Amino acid sequence: MVERRRILYVEDDLPSRMLVSQVLDMAGYEVVEAADGMGGIRLAEELRPDLILMDINMPGLDGYAAATKIKSLPGMTNTPIIAVTANVVEGDRERALTAGCDGYLPKPIDVDALPDQIHEFLGGRRERVDEAEERGYLREYSERLVDSLKEKVEALTRSDQMKSRFISIAAHELRTPVTVIRGYLDILAEPNGPLKEADPSARVMLEGIASGLRRMREIVEDMLDVSRIEAKTLELKVAPVRLAELAEKAIASQRDNAQQRNLTLTREAMDHLPIMWGDGVRIQQMLSHLIGNAIKYTPDGGRITVSGRIMGREARLPGADRPQGGPFIELVVADTGVGIHPEEQERIFEQFYEVRDPRLHSSSKTAFMGGGAGLGLSITRGVAEAHGGWIWVESEGYDPERCPGSRFHVVLPVGKSPKS
Ligand code: ADP
């Protein structure tokens, strides 16, 4: 049996897609369909068709852009792409050829002639435009691409602003009812309060409500922190701080969680570190979060170590636009956990970024691989930057079997009194 040649038809209009597919199928071709430009690119990459029929006017990525992209895919440069457009205006053919198409058919497609036309293109027919003319169309094409890029960036900026506003409003609105519930819970929990004579199980339930509420407050606080960091209104209460002390407190706050998971949580000596100027509450929050993450992403029985060292004035931080000229103090939270894929190492510091499938989302604070809201590291970076410092992660990669571990580095300037 002769192998059927494969044609990819990219078209957003369902009736056209069905009609043409049927005609080509009857003419002996194998037809695969994509309903938009992005889908077309994906299928071209995956299925390596022998020819592509490309509708030009599609919402989202149009046929010109899809054709340009497909032509740049390895091994696809010589695959014929035939543009198809309705409402023909002058220059459409030239525009299509300039974008990388090899031929042009006006719509409605003449279904009687189509099989022969396809046959010709498969046999090597190529249409070309005159070079001088092509230059003009290329300029027009680039301008159009820049315009559409600009529109997309503007739309993204708008939706990003709306997201930020939403987080800020939601956090402020949630704060009040959370405080109200907290107040009533405190009254209910008093030994001589309204539950004095109640069944003991009521107290257990009350503890359940209180712990749920604590988690809710933490999330609301995280949302507020994210808003403040974005708006650059995070205020630091700067005072002389001793990092050994802050690290100890951070470790103490996570000790029970580590024990539950049979993890060894230790601190190397830090007493040699100079006193630095910073916001102690925020630095401790940062360390607690890093230790909390290390607990979550390290299998039972693993090790978590917190250490610190002084970096001289010659210190160079990774990245060109990082603050330079120390002295700095570097804190490291290292674990023997699952590690982080190199491609994810920068993205995990973005808001709401979770490496794993969100469908597996769990809000447990300690369970192995139990994710959170994905805000913690973005806040941690915000706090480090507000101090004039930086945070990054080092890891060989993600491997839950071998567990190469991760090392989170926080570098903070020793700083000086804001008054001096
Ligand atoms: P989350 O609330 O989801 O933990 P974070 O901002 O703290 O949010 O972390 C973002 C992502 O970074 C996590 O979902 C996780 O995939 C990854 N991550 C953070 N810390 C570690 C770590 N110590 N080891 C492995 N992966 C980590």
Side-chain angles (χ1 to χ4, degrees):
M1 198 186 102
V2 188
E3 203 177 312
R4 303 209 301 166
R5 312 295 297 272
R6 183 182 285 160
I7 296 178
L8 168 62
Y9 185 27
V10 189
E11 165 68 76
D12 61 322
D13 180 53
L14 183 63
S16 313
R17 223 159 59 215
M18 287 171 66
L19 173 67
V20 170
S21 293
Q22 208 174 8
V23 170
L24 292 176
D25 183 59
M26 274 165 34
Y29 296 107
E30 179 196 340
V31 186
V32 280
E33 301 171 19
D36 56 34
M38 294 297 278
I41 296 172
R42 207 181 52 245
L43 284 184
E45 208 164 10
E46 235 170 70
L47 302 176
R48 309 273 149 181
D50 299 294
L51 179 144
I52 298 167
L53 267 181
M54 178 71 77
D55 180 37
I56 291 301
N57 296 310
M58 292 182 290
L61 203 67
D62 68 14
Y64 294 126
T68 305
K69 177 65 202 170
I70 291 171
K71 279 285 170 179
S72 76
L73 296 173
M76 296 296 290
T77 319
N78 297 320
T79 306
I81 303 181
I82 322 296
V84 190
T85 63
N87 313 320
V88 181
V89 285
E90 207 196 315
D92 269 2
R93 176 180 167 277
E94 289 72 14
R95 275 184 205 97
L97 299 182
T98 304
C101 296
D102 303 280
Y104 174 80
L105 297 176
K107 260 194 196 173
I109 290 180
D110 177 350
V111 288
D112 295 328
L114 184 65
D116 285 343
Q117 289 165 323
I118 298 273
H119 185 76
E120 281 178 29
F121 281 108
L122 283 170
R125 173 176 157 198
R126 298 288 183 268
E127 295 176 22
R128 294 267 171 268
V129 325
D130 166 280
E131 228 173 78
E133 219 181 348
E134 187 177 38
R135 212 167 303 135
Y137 282 108
L138 259 182
R139 173 180 293 264
E140 184 202 287
Y141 182 46
S142 327
E143 282 167 4
R144 215 150 22 85
L145 280 182
V146 174
D147 280 346
S148 85
L149 193 64
K150 182 169 156 272
E151 264 168 41
K152 295 214 162 72
V153 171
E154 282 165 355
L156 280 176
T157 311
R158 268 197 309 279
S159 67
D160 191 56
Q161 282 165 349
M162 272 162 61
K163 173 221 67 184
S164 303
R165 248 172 63 88
F166 173 75
I167 298 174
S168 166
I169 292 171
H172 280 102
E173 290 294 325
L174 284 171
R175 214 183 194 186
T176 316
V178 165
T179 311
V180 172
I181 301 172
R182 167 93 246 159
Y184 283 123
L185 269 182
D186 286 346
I187 298 171
L188 284 177
E190 273 173 27
N192 285 321
L195 289 186
K196 196 168 74 175
E197 316 276 330
D199 187 289
S201 66
R203 296 235 166 246
V204 178
M205 291 181 209
L206 208 62
E207 193 32 59
I209 299 176
S211 116
L213 192 67
R214 266 196 300 278
R215 181 75 193 112
M216 205 155 137
R217 241 177 48 172
E218 282 169 11
I219 295 169
V220 171
E221 285 306 316
D222 279 358
M223 287 162 74
L224 285 171
D225 280 349
V226 162
S227 312
R228 292 183 189 119
I229 288 166
E230 279 213 327
K232 304 216 178 332
T233 56
L234 186 78
E235 279 179 25
L236 295 182
K237 297 193 179 63
V238 174
V241 294
R242 220 181 274 281
L243 288 169
E245 232 167 70
L246 298 179
E248 201 46 56
K249 283 191 195 157
I251 287 175
S253 74
Q254 299 288 340
R255 179 84 63 204
D256 285 352
N257 296 340
Q259 261 161 11
Q260 270 175 32
R261 298 271 324 287
N262 193 23
L263 298 163
T264 316
L265 171 55
T266 51
R267 173 168 76 82
E268 285 179 8
M270 283 184 166
D271 297 321
H272 60 291
L273 297 179
I275 287 178
M276 67 161 276
W277 286 86
D279 184 329
V281 174
R282 289 295 186 179
I283 295 174
Q284 188 188 319
Q285 172 194 18
M286 210 159 49
L287 288 171
S288 298
H289 186 78
L290 292 178
I291 298 168
N293 274 352
I295 293 174
K296 277 200 298 193
Y297 300 102
T298 304
D300 294 19
R303 244 175 320 106
I304 299 163
T305 321
V306 183
S307 60
R309 68 180 182 111
I310 176 101
M311 299 167 88
R313 286 192 181 281
E314 73 295 344
R316 284 274 168 274
L317 301 188
D321 54 350
R322 306 282 173 263
Q324 306 292 348
F328 293 105
I329 293 173
E330 180 181 45
L331 300 169
V332 177
V333 178
D335 64 47
T336 57
V338 295
I340 302 166
H341 193 278
E343 267 178 29
E344 315 276 8
Q345 290 177 9
E346 203 32 51
R347 274 185 237 149
I348 54 169
F349 293 97
E350 290 170 12
Q351 289 165 13
F352 301 108
Y353 191 79
E354 282 187 79
V355 175
R356 290 167 318 119
D357 187 338
R359 281 171 302 183
L360 303 175
H361 187 98
S362 129
S363 40
S364 165
K365 292 269 288 178
T366 53
F368 177 52
M369 302 290 279
L375 290 179
L377 284 179
S378 80
I379 297 172
T380 306
R381 174 166 281 182
V383 170
E385 285 185 299
H387 278 87
W390 192 240
I391 174 170
W392 73 97
V393 68
E394 239 183 326
S395 172
E396 267 178 44
Y398 174 78
D399 187 343
E401 297 295 320
R402 212 168 48 82
C403 282
S406 309
R407 293 170 63 83
F408 281 83
H409 299 249
V410 181
V411 167
L412 299 170
V414 171
K416 51 184 187 301
S417 161
K419 290 174 206 88
S420 67

